[in-house]
Amino acid sequence: PPPPKRNIPVSLGKPSLRLRLEAYYSLIAPGTIGDEASWRKRFEQIYEKYGGTVEGEAKLAAKLVKKYGNNVRLLLTTTASASSSAAIGSCSNDTDAGHSPSAVASKRSEEWYELNASELNSGDISFVSSSFDPLAAILADMDVVLKTNPFVARAPLIDNVSKFRRLLPGEDPQYLQPTKRSASAAATRAQKAAADASTHKIPIPGAFTALADRFDKGPFALLRDIHAKKQRVRVMVRYVDCIRGTLTGYVLAFDKHFNMILRDVDEVYSGRATCTKVGSREESVGIDEKLSNVEVEVKRRTC
């Protein structure tokens, strides 16, 4: 005989509501869950509007009864996180001797979560399948797991085990009850945050920044923007009559006389030549030959 099916865990968690809705729609409107991507998106909207509270699920059930009738009802969560006596078609007959509705209301033992015959070595890595094989999912390539379970890519990242325990069904032995914060405590925190914001001191800029901020108009505004955006600049330095080299770096400070302090500088430097060698003798360049500044520089670079 086929292995007995497990009862759907009933809690206020998102996985529980999704499984209960899928069981409901599979009987009353299978087309609703036919397209997995469309159903995932629709379920997120349903859970955001109705999920997480007993009252919200009651409103959702009333809306479903109004739309589809009273023949099939959604399995609801009670205040005690117990199984509702309302049936979801044949789902009410799917419990086995070890998983009766009364047992679901209390904490389950770890033995309840041992793999049954349909799950053991099934190779099924779909998280929502009744024959899900956790060992196969762990050993499978991540790309294959994400392709089989596309909703995982949109799931929030959890950085510690305690946060994960809050998402487990209420009957799970590892379930951790979320801490509910009162409205008064939230209001107190909001008032404190507002008070801190009103008394927060504006940080005083450094001396170099304060000096640069004085030049917000005119030609120096370009240099101020370069300083603020931390862009690299190339500064050309010269002799009296020719180019000496270039400095490329970040402007740390400057003043109205174009004096600048640069950091992380790359310097390209060319020494100044006053003579050139012709054969075995030296001739004074720019004196005897009466060359222009440009010609002196060309000869200097070709020495």
Side-chain angles (χ1 to χ4, degrees), residues 9-230:
V10 180
S11 69
L12 293 177
K14 183 183 290 188
S16 174
L17 180 59
R18 176 179 50 77
L19 292 175
R20 286 181 280 135
L21 279 173
E22 289 178 352
Y24 174 85
Y25 281 123
S26 66
L27 297 174
I28 201 71
T32 305
I33 57 176
D35 185 355
E36 184 176 357
S38 176
W39 163 240
R40 296 291 178 190
K41 182 177 180 180
R42 183 175 180 181
F43 172 73
E44 292 294 334
Q45 297 173 348
I46 293 174
Y47 187 82
E48 182 178 357
K49 187 174 182 180
Y50 299 104
T53 63
V54 175
E55 295 77 9
E57 290 191 6
K59 292 180 181 179
L60 174 61
K63 186 175 182 180
L64 293 175
V65 168
K66 185 177 180 180
K67 182 175 182 179
Y68 295 108
N70 203 25
N71 293 332
V72 179
R73 288 181 174 271
L74 177 67
L75 185 62
L76 296 177
T77 305
T78 64
T79 54
S81 298
S83 296
S84 174
S85 58
I88 308 178
S90 61
C91 289
S92 60
N93 300 321
D94 288 341
T95 58
D96 57 15
H99 306 111
S100 62
S102 59
V104 174
S106 59
K107 290 289 185 180
R108 291 173 175 147
S109 62
E110 291 291 346
E111 289 76 12
W112 193 90
Y113 292 96
E114 293 181 358
L115 299 181
N116 57 32
S118 64
E119 299 167 336
L120 191 61
N121 298 324
S122 66
D124 191 348
I125 60 174
S126 175
F127 294 163
V128 297
S129 174
S130 59
S131 58
F132 170 66
D133 185 353
L135 182 58
I138 293 175
L139 298 177
D141 186 80
M142 179 60 69
D143 294 336
V144 178
V145 175
L146 291 176
K147 185 177 181 180
T148 308
N149 307 276
F151 58 90
V152 172
R154 302 188 300 271
L157 296 178
I158 300 175
D159 55 7
N160 61 69
V161 177
S162 296
K163 291 183 179 179
F164 174 76
R165 291 175 61 188
R166 293 182 174 90
L167 302 178
L168 294 172
E171 62 273 8
D172 193 287
Q174 298 296 328
Y175 173 72
L176 183 63
Q177 180 70 31
T179 303
K180 294 185 178 180
R181 299 177 179 178
S182 62
S184 59
T188 303
R189 288 192 300 273
Q191 293 174 359
K192 184 178 180 181
D196 292 342
S198 62
T199 58
H200 180 67
K201 295 182 179 180
I202 299 176
I204 300 175
F208 292 153
T209 302
L211 184 62
D213 288 341
R214 297 167 52 190
F215 304 100
D216 57 347
K217 296 180 181 179
F220 288 99
L222 175 61
L223 201 55
R224 174 184 176 274
D225 291 341
I226 293 174
H227 173 271
K229 296 177 181 178
K230 295 180 173 58

Side-chain angles (χ1 to χ4, degrees), residues 227-278:
H227 173 271
K229 296 177 181 178
K230 295 180 173 58
Q231 296 174 331
R232 286 175 66 86
V233 296
R234 178 170 295 170
V235 180
M236 301 181 69
V237 293
R238 64 182 180 85
Y239 293 108
V240 175
D241 54 359
C242 60
I243 301 298
R244 178 172 179 259
T246 60
L247 302 172
T248 305
Y250 296 95
V251 178
L252 189 62
F254 66 94
D255 63 9
K256 64 181 180 180
H257 304 291
F258 273 109
N259 296 315
M260 286 183 283
I261 301 176
L262 304 180
R263 64 180 176 85
D264 299 335
V265 176
D266 297 323
E267 181 178 8
V268 178
Y269 171 77
S270 298
R272 186 180 186 186
T274 58
C275 65
T276 181
K277 293 181 179 180
V278 179

